[in-house]
Every structure is written in C-alpha cells, then in structure tokens.
Amino acid sequence: MVLLRGVRPAIVAGPEFDGTSFGALWQLMDYRLGMRTSVIGAQQLGYGDLRKYNVLLLPSGDSGALQRVLGKPGIARLREWMEGGGTLIAVGGSAAFAADTTSALSAVRLRSQSLKELPLYLRAADWERESAKPAVDSVALWEGKPLRADTAAARKDVA
C-alpha cells in the first residue's frame, strides 16, 4: 500500500493579484471542494517556509509585478519547493509568469517566445514535405546518367 498525503493548499494573495481571481479560487476551494485553505502573501513565497504546503495556487496577476516581488532568490526558492514535490497552479497572468523563460518554473513556453523560432520550424517543415515527394527523373535513372549539378548543390544546402 502507498501512503497518500492529504492536500495542504495555500492561495497566494497580495496587490499583485486580481481580487476577483483570488475570490474565485478561494470560493472553489472552500465552498465547492470543502478544503481548508491557507492564505499567504506573495512575499512569503520568497522568504517564508513553504514546506507546510504541498499545493500553491497563484490567482491571475501581473507577471512583471510577481517578477519584482519575488526576485531571483524568491523564484529559486519556489523552484526548489516545486522540485521537492510541491505543485504550483497558476491562473491567467500568473501562468504567463510561470511559463516565461526568465522564471523557468515550467517547461511550457509563451506563444511569443515560441514564435521566435518560427522561421526555423517552417524551413524544417518545407524540407520534410520535399523529402516526402522526391523528384525522380526516370529517363536519367534508366540511362544511368549522373545527377544534375543543381540537385547536388541543393543537397549541400540541406546539410
């Protein structure tokens, strides 16, 4: 048998977060799910003891404000807590904060950061489509003629 631990959630509050989002999360946890939930301040993420919680809920908030409040040491502490088994649930702007490459709290990336590599992905897709429909000169193949120069040059571009 595997021993299951109870959920010990905390909702993070502060001026960095949208009050409506905070209220909706608290209502969900307290009224709908019937779970006792602690409320902690955003500053506690960077300096407080997070070991008593195994789930942190971040309401929708300002990504830049979260970055400033936590700073690099706070983000590092939050990452350590997550690596130790903690679950971070972020909503809206807080999810953007967690997905941002500067915080690196998640492997998920923002669309704007992924689109920076779009030309590379498009070129790779073109190469894949071209490889699926190779142009074969059947006359040259049966007569044993060498490859055309432009085909050989095109192969060098791919490599």
Side-chain angles (χ1 to χ4, degrees):
M1 297 187 88
V2 177
L3 178 63
L4 299 177
R5 290 182 158 177
V7 177
R8 296 179 314 275
I11 301 175
V12 184
E16 302 83 11
F17 300 101
D18 177 43
T20 306
S21 179
F22 170 82
L25 283 175
W26 197 1
Q27 195 265 349
L28 170 73
M29 298 299 288
D30 186 47
Y31 180 72
R32 295 248 175 148
L33 299 177
M35 299 176 87
R36 293 182 52 163
T37 306
S38 299
V39 177
I40 61 173
Q43 295 81 7
Q44 193 171 350
L45 291 177
Y47 305 106
D49 184 16
L50 298 177
R51 290 178 295 176
K52 51 186 156 186
Y53 311 110
N54 57 10
V55 175
L56 285 177
L57 296 119
L58 295 179
S60 184
D62 181 16
S63 180
L66 279 170
Q67 196 76 260
R68 285 188 299 278
V69 167
L70 292 177
K72 288 185 180 182
I75 293 171
R77 287 197 68 232
L78 189 55
R79 191 177 307 115
E80 286 175 22
W81 175 81
M82 291 170 61
E83 289 170 355
T87 301
L88 180 70
I89 300 172
V91 178
S94 297
F97 162 73
D100 194 0
T101 54
T102 56
S103 66
L105 292 174
S106 172
V108 174
R109 290 293 162 248
L110 297 173
R111 182 183 325 169
S112 60
Q113 293 170 335
S114 298
L115 290 178
K116 288 179 185 176
E117 302 295 324
L118 186 59
L120 175 66
Y121 297 141
L122 290 174
R123 197 168 346 136
D126 288 341
W127 289 341
E128 186 173 339
R129 274 193 294 275
E130 288 174 16
S131 68
K133 299 177 185 174
V136 177
D137 184 0
S138 59
V139 175
L141 180 67
W142 283 106
E143 293 177 358
K145 293 182 180 178
L147 289 175
R148 294 187 326 210
D150 60 338
T151 308
R155 255 199 244 142
K156 287 181 185 176
D157 290 340
V158 174

